[in-house]
Amino acid sequence: MAMDLIVRGANLPDGRAGVDIGVHDGRIVAVEPALEAEAGQEIDASGRLVSPPFVDAHFHMDATLARSLTRALPASGQSGLLFDGINMWDALKQRLSAEEVVERALTYCDMAIAQGIQAIRSHVDVCDERLTGVEALLEVKRRVSGYIDLQLIAFPQMGYYRYAGAQQHLKRALDMGVDVVGGIPHFERTMADGTASVSELLEIAAERGLLVDMHCDETDDPLSRHIETLSRETLRLGLQGRVAASHLTSMHVMDNYYVSKLIPLIAESEIDVIPNPLTNIAAWGDNNGSYPKWRGMTRVPELREAGITLAFGQDCVMDPWYVYGSADMLEVAHMGSHVAAMFSDDQVRACFDAVTVNPARILHLEGYGLEPGCHADMVVLQAADPLEAIRLKATRLAVIRRGEVVARTPAAVTELSVPGRPNSVALTYRPADPDNA
Ligand code: FE2
């Protein structure tokens, strides 16, 4: 069979090595060693990891790259803590135009595809009479659809009940074509309002046949237990496998006995969990400015142990909440591995899955993976395996979408001029002697 493209000699994330991947008509048609076929184009990936694309399950594209705009605000608190960020964003969004949001989002999508991200689930703030962000990101979704699957969540940033009009705005956003129902129960005025918001939002999702992804218990308050309601209501409405809980940072400091009951409930309701290691470690675990400080991320190894699907999200890039970020899901996995203290081979592989196959599953992406029949979407990395990819935040040598190379980056190699040593060095260290491995 004539192929459009063959990627030769790939290492796959599951450990298979020296595999050829044949592509025809935008789909993978063969994954096998020494594929005997002709192709219009070949890519030599010998010894390189070829991965399905990176997927970011939690992002805020309406606010991304807006960090510099906040400097013009009258009171600009840049503490990095959540509530400062929310206040800055609220002041900023009144000044935004749809054109400006589209421009920033498209610039971000350039970075994302260059870094091998081909699907993003982005929250979009609906606490805005004009729905500027919704209008803008629906336009962006259409414009990037050839290279990034953009899924949008109607997110009541200032509270579904707390912000006047949010209930109507959220429904309007869904009517306009936003895909997923969001929420922020811990930011409502009372625990009771938070509980009620979870029930009402899940009912909206059930009626409309939509997925759900809530910011849930993103706080250091051990008594923030909206995940319990989210799980119970998911079961009541038969939404198992369709609901994600983002953050869950409060679980870090919850009572252990309570958590021993909670995790089985989350598993029973088939809720997916999306921690965001970069922003969680930056914004939480602060102990109210005192010491000792703790790690502001949920209980990842224990949730994984219970069979719950986990994805690490990026959350923010250069926005009112977070000063860093570079559309690099390997950086996200690297931080996730550290904050969750997951360093065994199996755990490192789980961190890689948390930015690839797991978020693809959470987003319900069709045709994702490196098997025959899947879309021919993949990334060739300057690394041999998932551990090396995370360790080096490896260069994306080629990003392939539907069988076409859409981004290329030269391999990172440094020229050395030091006596008695080779004249170039790459950080892809490969011990020649197995005893040193
Ligand atoms: Fe978020």
Side-chain angles (χ1 to χ4, degrees):
M1 181 186 192
M3 310 252 174
D4 301 322
L5 168 72
I6 299 178
V7 179
R8 297 270 186 202
N11 294 347
L12 302 186
D14 64 10
R16 281 179 284 170
V19 173
D20 294 346
I21 303 169
V23 171
H24 181 68
D25 214 10
R27 295 263 176 187
I28 294 172
V29 292
V31 181
E32 58 192 62
L35 177 62
E36 288 188 25
E38 300 274 301
Q41 185 185 6
E42 293 208 0
I43 293 176
D44 179 10
S46 305
R48 308 287 202 198
L49 176 64
V50 176
S51 170
F54 296 110
V55 178
D56 186 356
H58 187 116
F59 196 61
H60 294 263
M61 202 176 281
D62 48 359
T64 194
L65 308 182
R67 181 89 184 171
S68 59
L69 304 177
T70 63
R71 298 207 177 91
L73 296 173
S76 174
Q78 299 194 337
S79 67
L81 300 178
L82 179 80
F83 299 113
D84 259 352
I86 290 178
N87 291 336
M88 274 199 287
W89 170 244
D90 195 44
L92 183 64
K93 78 182 170 198
Q94 317 301 336
R95 305 175 172 210
L96 298 176
S97 68
E99 294 72 28
E100 193 277 335
V101 178
V102 167
E103 206 42 53
R104 270 191 291 107
L106 287 175
T107 301
Y108 177 77
C109 288
D110 295 345
M111 297 180 196
I113 190 65
Q115 295 276 43
I117 297 175
Q118 293 191 26
I120 301 173
R121 176 183 269 189
S122 174
H123 297 257
V124 51
D125 189 355
V126 297
C127 292
D128 169 18
E129 171 70 29
R130 300 177 302 153
L131 290 181
T132 306
V134 172
E135 183 195 331
L137 292 194
L138 284 168
E139 167 70 9
V140 171
K141 175 178 172 155
R142 193 182 60 73
R143 286 171 66 173
V144 304
S145 63
Y147 52 99
I148 291 176
D149 298 309
L150 178 57
Q151 199 175 78
L152 298 176
I153 308 175
F155 174 47
Q157 171 76 76
M158 307 303 289
Y160 184 62
Y161 295 136
R162 185 168 169 174
Y163 184 87
Q167 294 161 68
Q168 291 74 32
H169 301 335
L170 182 134
K171 287 184 185 131
R172 272 171 57 214
L174 297 176
D175 290 341
M176 288 165 71
V178 169
D179 310 272
V180 179
V181 177
I184 187 165
H186 55 275
F187 196 69
E188 304 294 346
R189 287 192 184 88
T190 64
M191 290 290 179
D193 278 359
T195 301
S197 77
V198 169
S199 298
E200 189 171 325
L201 289 161
L202 285 187
E203 283 166 7
I204 291 170
E207 275 164 26
R208 293 179 178 240
L210 299 177
L211 302 177
V212 176
D213 188 337
M214 285 193 195
H215 285 65
C216 192
D217 302 323
E218 188 189 4
T219 153
D220 280 340
D221 174 6
L223 295 178
S224 186
R225 296 175 169 186
H226 296 294
I227 179 58
E228 180 184 78
T229 308
L230 188 65
S231 303
R232 181 67 190 88
E233 291 294 272
T234 294
L235 289 169
R236 178 175 72 84
L237 293 161
L239 291 173
Q240 295 95 318
R242 303 181 60 79
V243 177
S246 285
H247 294 297
L248 300 184
T249 48
S250 74
M251 277 185 73
H252 193 97
V253 282
M254 278 178 184
D255 172 74
N256 290 326
Y257 181 79
Y258 175 71
V259 172
S260 76
K261 289 170 56 190
L262 178 62
I263 289 181
L265 177 63
I266 300 171
E268 184 189 353
S269 60
E270 297 172 41
I271 285 184
D272 305 316
V273 174
I274 307 172
N276 296 284
L278 296 168
T279 56
N280 290 166
I281 197 69
W284 301 107
D286 183 57
N287 197 3
N288 280 322
S290 185
Y291 286 86
K293 298 191 187 296
W294 57 85
R295 297 175 195 178
M297 192 168 80
T298 195
R299 305 188 187 202
V300 172
E302 293 78 9
L303 289 162
R304 177 173 174 252
E305 194 75 9
I308 292 159
T309 303
L310 286 136
F312 289 143
Q314 184 171 219
D315 203 1
C316 302
V317 169
M318 291 188 277
D319 70 8
W321 291 270
Y322 187 61
V323 64
Y324 301 121
S326 56
D328 185 351
M329 296 311 293
L330 291 170
E331 180 185 42
V332 172
H334 190 261
M335 181 62 85
S337 166
H338 282 80
V339 181
M342 291 170 66
F343 303 115
S344 72
D345 289 347
D346 171 61
Q347 288 175 320
V348 168
R349 173 68 202 284
C351 291
F352 191 82
D353 288 349
V355 294
T356 51
V357 291
N358 290 4
R361 189 173 155 199
I362 293 171
L363 268 63
H364 292 228
L365 293 183
E366 176 270 326
Y368 178 92
L370 289 184
E371 300 302 328
C374 293
H375 289 301
D377 301 342
M378 60 198 100
V379 184
V380 183
L381 292 149
Q382 190 188 359
D385 54 40
L387 187 150
E388 192 171 59
I390 294 174
R391 183 176 74 82
L392 298 175
K393 279 77 81 184
T395 299
R396 284 69 163 169
L397 300 169
V399 179
I400 296 164
R401 172 80 172 184
R402 306 295 196 259
E404 304 281 338
V405 177
V406 292
R408 276 186 192 278
T409 307
V413 178
T414 303
E415 286 184 25
L416 278 190
S417 300
V418 295
R421 299 300 301 158
N423 59 10
S424 74
V425 62
L427 296 175
T428 46
Y429 172 68
R430 210 69 83 249
D433 179 352
D435 291 342
N436 290 333

